[in-house]
Amino acid sequence: MIVYAILWQDSEKEGMVLEAVFATAVAAAMAIVAMMIRIKAAEKPASVKKIILPPLFMSSGFLMFTHPMFHLSIYQALEAFLVGLLFSIILIKTSGFEVRGEHVFLRRSRAFPFILLGLLAFRILLKAVLGHYIEWEALSGMFFILAFGMLLPWRLAMLIQFKKVEKQLDTPTSIT
């Protein structure tokens, strides 16, 4: 109890720590859900719809910027998008498709869960550091843009890869 009183003398500081812990727990849960979805997705044939819908659904999150508390400067938004773009390279390199029977499937990557956890750990570290300099509302907006900047190029690359592999289904193979 004494340690608690010493560490948490300021109730505002306690609230900020609890918010950070909650946000971290939510991010970790989302990462686990994403890994489970990705593993299950590899068991079913891929489709254009399954590839393009996640960025479309996520784009509704841009509505947060209609509220003044989430407004960012163009430099903050651009910086967040570019960091997301850099992270997407890792995801693009570890994603691929293969033909199984008459369908195209997402190829399982053993590295994907580790990459996702690594990105989560980096995000938590970045949030802890930047949280001292940027208000949480702006930081939330920046991390949303970072995530979208990572998801959009990754899914576009997946769509291109999918279409290339899908053409293999249409092309008859000749046995010589």
Side-chain angles (χ1 to χ4, degrees):
M1 193 65 144
I2 295 172
V3 172
Y4 178 82
I6 292 169
L7 290 175
W8 307 115
Q9 292 175 359
D10 186 3
S11 64
E12 184 178 319
K13 186 185 256 184
E14 180 181 352
M16 290 170 51
V17 169
L18 290 175
E19 285 176 7
V21 169
F22 178 73
T24 302
V26 168
M30 289 174 63
I32 290 167
V33 168
M35 281 188 280
M36 290 173 16
I37 289 171
R38 180 78 189 267
I39 289 167
K40 284 207 166 264
E43 296 171 2
K44 297 178 183 172
S47 70
V48 170
K49 185 169 81 169
K50 290 179 184 178
I51 295 169
I52 64 171
L53 284 180
L56 289 177
F57 292 149
M58 187 179 178
S59 66
S60 67
F62 281 105
L63 289 173
M64 83 167 79
F65 297 109
T66 61
H67 197 287
M69 71 189 317
F70 292 104
H71 288 182
L72 301 174
S73 73
I74 189 71
Y75 299 111
Q76 288 173 315
L78 187 59
E79 181 178 33
F81 188 80
L82 290 175
V83 170
L85 189 63
L86 287 174
F87 286 169
S88 75
I89 294 169
I90 298 166
L91 295 172
I92 291 167
K93 294 288 185 188
T94 59
S95 297
F97 294 94
E98 61 188 7
V99 175
R100 284 190 240 151
E102 297 179 13
H103 300 285
V104 177
F105 287 82
L106 188 62
R107 191 175 4 166
R108 263 201 187 143
S109 168
R110 292 182 186 184
F112 184 77
F114 300 107
I115 290 168
L116 210 60
L117 291 174
L119 289 172
L120 174 66
F122 184 73
R123 179 190 178 276
I124 291 168
L125 178 67
L126 198 60
K127 191 172 186 178
V129 171
L130 293 177
H132 294 289
Y133 305 103
I134 302 172
E135 300 87 27
W136 74 267
E137 297 92 346
L139 198 56
S140 296
M142 289 178 72
F143 274 104
F144 173 80
I145 292 173
L146 183 149
F148 192 78
M150 188 168 55
L151 182 68
L152 184 64
W154 176 40
R155 291 301 178 133
L156 288 174
M158 285 177 70
L159 182 61
I160 293 167
Q161 290 175 12
F162 175 80
K163 287 296 192 181
K164 285 181 183 175
V165 174
E166 191 178 45
K167 282 183 182 176
Q168 294 175 8
L169 291 174
D170 297 336
T171 310
T173 54
S174 60
I175 301 174
T176 56

